[in-house]
Amino acid sequence: MTETAEEKKNTIRELEFTIFCIESLAEALHQDGATVYQALSRGKNLIQNYIIPEYEVLHTQGKDYIVEELLRVMKDWGISL
C-alpha cells in the first residue's frame, strides 16, 4: 500500500518530533543522543510504544513538560541509560 502525501508528511513530523524528544532528553540527562536513543528503543521501546502513539498530544506541549513526561514514563517502564 502506498502512503499518501499527507501520511508521508505526518510520518516526517513524527520523526522530527522523535528526534527532538531524544535530543531534549539527552540534554537533560547530560548524555549523547545515541545513548538515549538506544535506551528508548530497546525493551519496551518507548519510541514506538509511547512517543509516536502520543505524538498528537505531546507535540502540543512545551519542551520542559515533554522532558518531564518522558522521564516519568522511563521511570515507570523501568528504562534506564
Side-chain angles (χ1 to χ4, degrees):
M1 184 160 96
T2 305
E3 268 188 318
T4 66
E6 187 63 30
E7 289 171 330
K8 286 181 184 179
K9 192 182 294 184
N10 287 340
T11 300
I12 291 169
R13 287 182 186 140
E14 290 170 354
L15 176 59
E16 289 172 341
F17 179 71
T18 300
I19 293 167
F20 167 79
C21 290
I22 291 166
E23 290 301 322
S24 296
L25 277 171
E27 180 183 343
L29 296 169
H30 307 287
Q31 297 288 327
D32 63 279
T35 300
V36 173
Y37 170 76
Q38 289 172 355
L40 298 182
S41 62
R42 67 177 177 254
K44 294 187 179 186
N45 197 336
L46 191 123
I47 293 170
Q48 290 294 321
N49 294 314
Y50 187 78
I51 294 174
I52 293 172
E54 297 298 325
Y55 166 78
E56 289 299 325
V57 174
L58 287 173
H59 88 280
T60 64
Q61 305 300 314
K63 180 179 177 179
D64 290 340
Y65 174 86
I66 292 167
V67 169
E68 290 302 317
E69 177 66 8
L70 294 175
L71 289 171
R72 182 192 65 77
V73 174
M74 287 174 68
K75 182 179 177 186
D76 290 351
W77 289 17
I79 297 170
S80 59
L81 301 182

